[in-house]
């Protein structure tokens, strides 16, 4: 059983998903002609912590792999929630160093929990970091996920860094490797309703037809980046559309519901 965090019962939960911040040791440093720290700071100033019950960071938080970049993020999120204690959960992307993340995120509001228990929903945070920029979800990780899902009857929504289905651009070569094994696993668990990811620096939503699962479709949502967005091109091209993120609303009730909204400045 992986570490889980249980929220107090309430009818509705609002969560802020932040992804692909690409922060640097220098707060004024540049990534793709923007200042990623300032981008993120502006976004958080626009959307106060009092609006949210939790934050989920879905990877590529650093660009230069420095401890200072994570410490800047920790300080920023700590100061952001002066008026409301808002737990922050995180998972690694291909740029991240899990050891440095653990060091920088060692105390509240950060929590290294893989499963979040809401009233009416369970959220799972998956680690897809591998030895290359592409994603990996090997047999050990699949077994751990299956073990967890076997114990759950509530609707489940999963979060990870890498996309498991193609989006139609250059980054498809750096998506989750052997995705068919991942989808075959999820096809066995009808309580899994959707998957949200980062990595693509691109806001989109689509229904994905699960193999060997009849007519069942899974909702996929790509979270935009707080840094720059990636163009949907065959080669790597970026554009500054301002910092963006995704807001999630999970509701309990006779029929649990979920909705999401892409936000920016």
């Amino acid at each position: 059983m992986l570490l889980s965090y249980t929220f107090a019962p309430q009818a509705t939960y609002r969560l802020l998903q932040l992804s692909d911040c690409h922060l640097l040791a220098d707060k004024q440093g540049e990534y793709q002609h923007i200042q990623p720290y300032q981008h993120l700071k502006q976004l958080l100033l626009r959307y106060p912590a009092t609006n949210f019950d939790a934050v989920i960071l879905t990877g590529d938080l650093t660009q230069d792999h420095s401890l200072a970049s994570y410490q800047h993020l920790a300080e920023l999120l700590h100061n952001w929630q002066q008026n409301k204690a808002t737990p922050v959960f995180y998972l690694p992307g291909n740029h991240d160093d899990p050891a440095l993340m653990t060091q920088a995120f060692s105390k509240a509001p950060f929590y290294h929990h893989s499963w979040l228990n809401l009233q009416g929903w369970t959220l799972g945070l998956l680690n897809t970091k591998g030895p290359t920029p592409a994603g990996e979800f090997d047999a050990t990780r699949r077994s751990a996920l299956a073990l967890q899902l076997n114990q759950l009857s509530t609707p489940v929504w999963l979060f990870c860094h890498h996309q498991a289905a193609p989006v139609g651009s250059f980054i498809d070569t750096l998506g989750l490797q052997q995705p068919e094994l991942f989808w075959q696993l999820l096809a066995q668990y009808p309580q899994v309703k959707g998957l949200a990811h980062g990595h693509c620096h691109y806001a989109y939503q689509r229904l994905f037809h699960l193999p060997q699962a009849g007519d069942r479709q899974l909702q996929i949502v790509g979270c935009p980046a707080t840094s720059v967005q990636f163009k949907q091109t065959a080669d790597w091209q970026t554009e500054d559309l301002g910092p963006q993120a995704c807001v999630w609303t999970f509701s309990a009730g006779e029929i649990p519901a979920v909705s999401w909204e892409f936000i920016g400045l």
Side-chain angles (χ1 to χ4, degrees):
M1 188 79 171
L2 298 174
L3 202 59
S4 63
Y5 182 103
T6 300
F7 288 79
Q10 56 193 62
T12 301
Y13 302 84
R14 281 173 56 83
L15 285 73
L16 175 63
Q17 181 185 0
L18 302 173
S19 199
D20 300 277
C21 308
H22 290 273
L23 300 176
L24 302 157
D26 180 0
K27 290 182 180 180
Q28 306 302 323
E30 291 194 357
Y31 163 72
Q32 293 299 305
H33 310 296
I34 62 105
Q35 294 178 311
Y37 178 86
Q38 301 303 326
H39 259 43
L40 179 57
K41 184 177 180 179
Q42 291 169 15
L43 185 74
L44 294 176
L45 286 173
R46 174 68 65 89
Y47 300 95
T50 50
N51 293 337
F52 306 105
D53 297 294
V55 176
I56 297 179
L57 307 174
T58 48
D60 277 6
L61 308 180
T62 184
Q63 172 62 21
D64 62 4
H65 316 284
S66 66
L67 176 60
S69 64
Y70 292 117
Q71 291 171 331
H72 294 330
L73 177 57
E75 178 186 39
L76 191 58
L77 288 173
H78 180 269
N79 293 338
W80 173 65
Q81 51 182 268
Q82 289 295 321
N83 298 315
K84 179 185 178 182
T86 307
V88 178
F89 305 93
Y90 60 95
L91 55 85
N94 48 286
H95 277 274
D96 290 310
D97 184 322
L100 293 181
M101 296 173 84
T102 299
Q103 185 177 347
F105 304 155
S106 62
K107 59 184 180 180
F110 292 90
Y111 296 88
H112 188 46
H113 293 69
S114 299
W115 293 90
L116 314 182
N117 302 317
L118 315 180
Q119 181 168 319
W121 282 91
T122 302
L123 313 183
L125 277 59
L126 308 181
N127 180 1
T128 58
K129 180 177 172 61
T132 73
E136 179 177 272
F137 205 70
D138 60 16
T140 299
R141 290 174 178 173
R142 292 195 302 273
S143 296
L145 177 57
L147 181 64
Q148 191 73 19
L149 292 175
N150 281 329
Q151 303 175 55
L152 297 173
S153 58
T154 57
V156 174
W157 200 279
L158 300 174
F159 291 82
C160 65
H161 180 70
H162 295 83
Q163 79 277 18
V167 298
S169 74
F170 75 95
I171 206 163
D172 286 338
T173 60
L174 302 175
L176 191 70
Q177 302 300 291
Q178 296 185 299
E180 66 280 359
L181 299 178
F182 179 70
W183 295 127
Q184 288 169 13
L185 172 61
L186 296 192
Q188 302 174 45
Y189 298 95
Q191 67 268 46
V192 178
K193 304 302 181 184
L195 172 72
H197 65 84
H199 192 49
C200 297
H201 293 234
Y202 174 56
Y204 79 98
Q205 55 193 5
R206 64 170 288 197
L207 288 172
F208 179 79
H209 185 268
L210 283 170
Q212 304 173 8
D215 295 329
R216 182 177 161 217
Q217 293 181 310
L218 194 77
Q219 182 70 59
I220 300 178
V221 178
C223 181
T226 69
S227 55
V228 294
Q229 311 312 316
F230 290 169
K231 292 184 178 181
Q232 291 297 99
T233 52
D235 59 330
W236 182 42
Q237 298 184 41
T238 67
E239 55 185 341
D240 178 15
L241 301 178
Q244 299 182 22
C246 189
V247 174
W248 293 88
T249 302
F250 291 93
S251 302
E254 279 191 37
I255 303 178
V258 57
S259 62
W260 55 91
E261 175 188 6
F262 302 125
I263 62 169
L265 298 183

